Amino acid sequence: MNALVALRRDLHQHPELAYNEHRTAGIVAEILSDLGLEVHTGIGKTGVVGVLKRGLSSRSIGLRADMDALPMQDNGSQPWRSQTASVCHACGHDGHTTMLLGAAAALADDPGFDGTVYFIFQPAEEGLAGAKAMIDDGLFTRFPCDAVYAIHNWPQLPAGVAQTRAGPIMAAGSVFNITVHGGGGHAAQPQLTPDTLLATSELVVQLHTIISRNLDPCDPAVLTVTKINGGFSHNMIPAQAEIMGTVRSFDGGVQDVIERRMRELAQSMTAAHGLQAEVSYKRYYPATINSVAEAQIALRAARRAGLEYGEAPKPAMTSEDFAFMLQAKPGAYLWLGSADSHPLHHSEFDFNDAVIPYGIRWFVALVQETLAAEI
């Protein structure tokens, strides 16, 4: 266990961004090779797959962990905080990678299953669709899993508590950018130029009415403006301003309404000020939808692993590109409680190392549940 904690902290010290996980992927490949697994690298650019086969059964299971870090500064105080400026493991992917490697080590010494386990180490989960990249690069053609499972640490739950649910568990994610332009002039002479910042400010307010006034109140959705940028000086009305944000929902029709109203509001609000607007709306991740049977298998595995477990009462509005794998294969995504830690994506977040054994036991239990040796 001490070696796994040391590994996790080493990964935390050396985080790598999407599709640049070269050091991490190299460590993963070396450990899998040392365990005697068949190792494949460079899948979806920097993805790694380890193959472990026992017995004669054609049954198979995929176990997935993400490897990439976030583009943000690590403000933690621990000795193993990130040594790379503006890059840190603020979502716990270092812990996910460590748990799956620990499971590979445990299963490599366990002859008590019959079938094939594919250990999938994925790049670029944080917004750049590494799961899709691996699939497009032949992941499930080369490694045809019967089902695929993933885990994510969840600071909202006590350490060792496992939850999942059939159906939606994570929302679809979209990003929008709106550029307002056509003005610009002296701040002391506003009568001579359209006010770009005034129009942008009014648009921000109106965007937040889309959820409350254009959607059925029973349809869950979130729209959040996360960036407003414009202006350079105290005495100048800028020629251009930008709004950025995210939309989360579970239904494609809801997304259609939000995008349509966003475009309409952007055009009408800016036109009222004599300005123009350009809207970019990108749907980057679909909703993460667990299949019914596999969600139950995930909970049975949690019970077998000795975890406190239960059905998640509701999905989360965060997004996850494991959704692409669940579009291609049956499977389930599990939350593993990791309190006490900072929230995910907090600049002082550090994975709770006490959770590592729980994740290993769950991965191993999944294999025991699905690939039990036939007597």
Side-chain angles (χ1 to χ4, degrees), residues 97-183:
T97 297
T98 300
M99 290 189 293
L100 189 53
L101 286 170
L107 289 165
D109 290 334
D110 177 14
F113 68 91
D114 187 12
T116 303
V117 184
Y118 298 112
F119 299 91
I120 303 168
F121 294 86
Q122 180 210 302
E125 189 281 323
E126 295 290 356
L128 291 179
K132 187 175 187 300
M134 292 189 80
I135 294 168
D136 291 346
D137 202 15
L139 175 65
F140 292 132
T141 302
R142 298 168 62 184
F143 313 103
C145 315
D146 295 333
V148 64
Y149 296 85
I151 198 169
H152 204 295
N153 78 100
W154 210 244
Q156 295 96 311
L157 294 174
V161 174
Q163 287 188 354
T164 192
R165 66 197 308 272
I169 188 165
M170 305 282 269
S174 299
V175 60
F176 63 86
N177 285 271
I178 303 174
T179 302
V180 178
H181 59 89

Side-chain angles (χ1 to χ4, degrees), residues 14-22 24 46 67-72 84-89 123-126 128:
H14 302 92
E16 295 170 302
L17 295 176
Y19 299 120
N20 288 284
E21 307 93 336
H22 302 292
T24 304
T46 46
M67 299 186 294
D68 59 320
L70 283 157
M72 56 188 292
T84 305
S86 301
V87 183
C88 76
H89 272 297
E125 189 281 323
E126 295 290 356
L128 291 179

Side-chain angles (χ1 to χ4, degrees), residues 178-374:
I178 303 174
T179 302
V180 178
H181 59 89
H186 201 294
Q189 296 175 316
Q191 77 278 12
L192 300 181
T193 184
D195 192 329
T196 312
L197 292 184
L198 177 59
T200 300
S201 300
E202 291 182 359
L203 179 56
V204 168
V205 174
Q206 288 301 310
L207 289 176
H208 284 94
T209 69
I210 294 175
I211 303 299
S212 64
R213 289 298 175 265
N214 296 116
L215 296 182
D216 186 320
C218 295
D219 289 331
V222 173
L223 184 156
T224 303
V225 173
T226 57
K227 177 183 177 182
I228 304 172
N229 186 42
F232 306 96
S233 170
H234 77 282
N235 63 352
M236 182 176 67
I237 296 172
Q240 181 171 299
E242 179 186 14
I243 302 169
M244 178 186 291
T246 188
V247 172
R248 308 297 169 101
S249 70
F250 297 97
D251 183 272
V254 168
Q255 286 269 5
D256 292 342
V257 172
I258 294 171
E259 181 178 357
R260 174 177 57 80
R261 285 298 294 144
M262 180 178 294
R263 293 183 182 278
E264 291 171 351
L265 285 170
Q267 297 303 326
S268 61
M269 291 296 299
T270 54
H273 287 268
L275 297 163
Q276 298 85 48
E278 295 177 7
V279 180
S280 169
Y281 192 100
K282 180 182 179 183
R283 307 184 190 197
Y284 61 92
Y285 287 170
T288 305
I289 311 292
N290 288 337
S291 48
V292 175
E294 283 68 28
Q296 291 305 309
I297 290 171
L299 290 175
R300 291 203 303 270
R303 179 180 63 193
R304 179 189 282 260
L307 305 180
E308 184 180 339
Y309 67 97
E311 183 172 335
K314 58 185 178 181
M317 299 305 290
T318 46
S319 298
E320 162 66 66
D321 82 337
F322 187 62
F324 291 110
M325 294 193 183
L326 292 182
Q327 287 184 332
K329 294 287 181 177
Y333 182 84
L334 182 100
W335 296 331
L336 178 62
S338 57
D340 290 324
S341 73
H342 287 287
L344 300 176
H345 293 209
H346 189 283
S347 66
E348 295 181 43
F349 177 88
D350 186 33
F351 185 84
N352 183 355
D353 288 325
V355 171
I356 292 174
Y358 299 130
I360 292 173
R361 283 170 14 208
W362 181 72
F363 278 130
V364 170
L366 275 174
V367 175
Q368 295 168 340
E369 280 284 326
T370 58
L371 303 182
E374 298 176 354

